[in-house]
Amino acid sequence: MRITLDNPAGAPRPLSPYYSQVARVEQADGSALLFVSGQIAEGGTLADQTRAIFETLTALLAAHGAALSHVINIRTYLTDISELEQYGTVRREFLTGTPPTSMTFEVPRLFRPEARIEIEIVAAVPAAG
């Protein structure tokens, strides 16, 4: 097993120098697990922030040869649980297949005051070939 911590070129930079965006865990069979740090977006409505986050997640996964279809777990943190339906509507635009395992939490605040949502994911990437 080999673990690589990464801030992929071409993907949005982390908002802080104190974490890596992606942890890639290589498996013996050539497959990999990707653990993607929580992502936030700034400004706009919850729907705007959710779309921006999924676009960032798409870029981070693509940098490791993966796609949103490889997501097996998603954790979502909302500052207002009453906006859950808005989040769900946008989430279904991006996660179109069988839904991954999921947890959603209401939290009093996030890393940046203007952030209304944070999303972190785990993806399973099959071996090439």
Side-chain angles (χ1 to χ4, degrees), residues 90-112:
V90 175
R91 174 180 154 158
R92 285 187 296 277
E93 292 173 17
F94 287 89
L95 298 175
T96 58
T98 303
T101 62
S102 179
M103 293 178 73
T104 303
F105 307 90
E106 182 176 41
V107 296
R109 65 177 179 248
L110 294 166
F111 178 66
R112 297 278 172 102

Side-chain angles (χ1 to χ4, degrees), residues 8-9 19 33 42 47-48 59 69 78 87 94 109-110 117:
Y19 68 96
L33 291 174
E42 300 174 305
D48 294 336
S69 61
L78 292 167
Y87 160 66
F94 287 89
R109 65 177 179 248
L110 294 166
I117 184 169

Side-chain angles (χ1 to χ4, degrees), residues 55-113:
E55 289 167 4
T56 297
L57 292 170
T58 298
L60 291 167
L61 290 170
H64 283 270
L68 289 171
S69 61
H70 295 118
V71 173
I72 60 171
N73 182 264
I74 184 167
R75 284 180 213 91
T76 305
Y77 305 87
L78 292 167
T79 59
D80 183 352
I81 201 71
S82 72
E83 296 183 310
L84 182 63
E85 186 56 38
Q86 290 176 58
Y87 160 66
T89 298
V90 175
R91 174 180 154 158
R92 285 187 296 277
E93 292 173 17
F94 287 89
L95 298 175
T96 58
T98 303
T101 62
S102 179
M103 293 178 73
T104 303
F105 307 90
E106 182 176 41
V107 296
R109 65 177 179 248
L110 294 166
F111 178 66
R112 297 278 172 102

